[in-house]
Amino acid sequence: MLRRSVWRTALTAFAAVAVLLTVPLTVAEVAHAQTYPPRPPPSLSLSQLFVVAGDPVRFTAKGFDPNQQVVAVLRDRPSQPLGTFQADARGRVSGSVTIPRSTGLGFHQLQLKGQNPNLTASAFLFVFPRLTPHAGESSQQEEQQHAKVDAGIGPRQVGGAAALVALGGGAWLGARRLRNGTR
């Protein structure tokens, strides 16, 4: 009969505890201090939520770094900047941008993007196409503008609508025949 010594058991237990305590300490990464409370993201407010393409929109934003350069873009056209602005000493930016005349009908997201650090503020606005010409535009330009507005309805949309009408008529006729007992 083998009898383990008390010292051997104590030494084994001590070695196991030492390994369990030192492994997390050797694997742990250095903690980086962050500001508390965390910095809120930049915010953007617009002077109007509904705008006609070609008209200006005034904005104010806050939460950028002091003197940070900020670029205004529409999210669906990031390669076409609408303007470049600079934040003041308190990180506030205000200005006006003109929505491009070629902007389509619908919701668009206006973004103010700052770099180093990358900070972005955004707000949605609804753009209506311009239906009446500005002073100095010719009637040919007006016709081209109307053609762009009407171009949203194509043969697929007309065919789809016709198919839905035919399907609804067929369902109505089938229900009527079933109710009357004729097949």
Side-chain angles (χ1 to χ4, degrees):
M1 173 173 181
L2 295 173
R3 183 173 173 211
R4 292 188 178 174
S5 73
V6 174
W7 286 102
R8 183 184 286 174
T9 306
L11 186 60
T12 305
F14 179 74
V17 169
V19 168
L20 289 176
L21 290 178
T22 57
V23 168
L25 296 176
T26 58
V27 179
E29 295 182 19
V30 177
H32 295 286
Q34 295 185 3
T35 59
Y36 185 82
R39 176 180 169 168
S43 62
L44 173 65
S45 61
L46 303 176
S47 62
Q48 55 197 33
L49 300 178
F50 301 97
V51 67
V52 177
D55 286 351
V57 175
R58 293 205 41 77
F59 64 86
T60 56
K62 61 182 180 178
F64 289 97
D65 280 353
N67 303 317
Q68 184 176 15
Q69 189 169 353
V70 177
V71 177
V73 295
L74 286 177
R75 184 169 183 227
D76 53 345
R77 299 173 181 215
S79 62
Q80 296 177 351
L82 302 177
T84 302
F85 305 90
Q86 186 166 353
D88 63 11
R90 294 186 346 208
R92 296 179 185 222
V93 180
S94 62
S96 177
V97 295
T98 301
I99 303 301
R101 294 183 57 81
S102 60
T103 304
L105 172 71
F107 284 101
H108 295 273
Q109 189 175 19
L110 178 66
Q111 292 183 329
L112 295 181
K113 294 183 175 186
Q115 295 180 351
N116 295 333
N118 290 336
L119 297 173
T120 301
S122 62
F124 283 96
L125 56 103
F126 192 87
V127 178
F128 293 99
R130 180 165 300 283
L131 299 178
T132 58
H134 274 308
E137 284 186 347
S138 67
S139 62
Q140 181 183 9
Q141 288 175 331
E142 184 179 352
E143 290 174 12
Q144 289 174 350
Q145 186 72 24
H146 285 295
K148 285 183 182 176
V149 172
D150 294 339
I153 301 174
R156 287 186 181 173
Q157 286 84 1
V158 172
L164 287 174
V165 168
L167 184 64
W172 176 77
L173 185 60
R176 186 174 175 190
R177 284 188 174 185
L178 281 174
R179 190 172 5 140
N180 293 337
T182 57
R183 291 187 184 227

